[in-house]
Amino acid sequence: MRKPKVIHNFYKSSVWAVAREIKIREVNGLCERCGKLGEEVHHKKRLTIDNIKDSSISINQENLELLCKDCHNKEHK
């Protein structure tokens, strides 16, 4: 399933790049669930067209979680 364009553009933005980098550094680059190397910054509360402009969801560090590929895939299956 393709992401809507507004969400795709958000993930290409400098705002997201900064929020993502902050999360990665905050947790020393490790998956917050299993301790492996983190690769995906995951939104705990899913990002949607309706909430993407709400910074308490889209870039709030409390709503972000660094996950390895395996843990991220488990979350989305």
Side-chain angles (χ1 to χ4, degrees), residues 1-62:
M1 183 172 170
R2 293 184 66 152
K3 290 182 180 132
K5 187 171 178 104
V6 67
I7 293 178
H8 175 79
N9 289 344
F10 170 78
Y11 284 121
K12 298 289 185 190
S13 73
S14 60
V15 170
W16 172 246
V18 170
R20 184 179 186 281
E21 186 64 26
I22 289 169
K23 176 51 68 177
I24 292 168
R25 289 178 186 222
E26 178 183 281
V27 298
N28 298 315
L30 301 176
C31 177
E32 293 182 72
R33 296 192 186 173
C34 73
K36 291 182 190 173
L37 182 64
E39 298 182 49
E40 302 283 341
V41 177
H42 170 73
H43 284 90
K44 295 175 188 176
K45 180 169 183 176
R46 190 179 182 119
L47 196 62
T48 67
I49 292 172
D50 296 326
N51 67 22
I52 197 164
K53 292 186 179 187
D54 182 346
S55 62
S56 70
I57 294 171
S58 62
I59 59 171
N60 180 355
Q61 294 297 305
E62 296 296 317

